[in-house]
Amino acid sequence: MDIEVGSRVVYKGVEYQVVWIYENGNVEIAKKGYSSKIDLVPKNDLILID
């Protein structure tokens, strides 16, 4: 399974939800329920939660 918009992921030990994926491999993530706090991180740094 691949990371896609809406996926639950872990970044630096904290659970986030994927908001947007860019073609260059960067991903916007937000803590669940906090859509105003969005971080931009490399896709390779994320761990997908099944």
Side-chain angles (χ1 to χ4, degrees), residues 3-5 7 9-10 12 15 17 22-24 27-28 30 32 34-36 38 40 43-46 50:
I3 293 174
E4 54 191 38
V5 173
S7 294
V9 295
V10 173
K12 294 187 176 180
E15 185 177 331
Q17 190 165 13
Y22 294 94
E23 291 182 16
N24 65 4
V27 178
E28 286 185 359
K32 202 169 190 175
Y34 294 95
S35 60
S36 62
I38 295 177
L40 183 65
K43 189 175 184 178
N44 294 339
D45 289 352
L46 301 175
D50 291 329

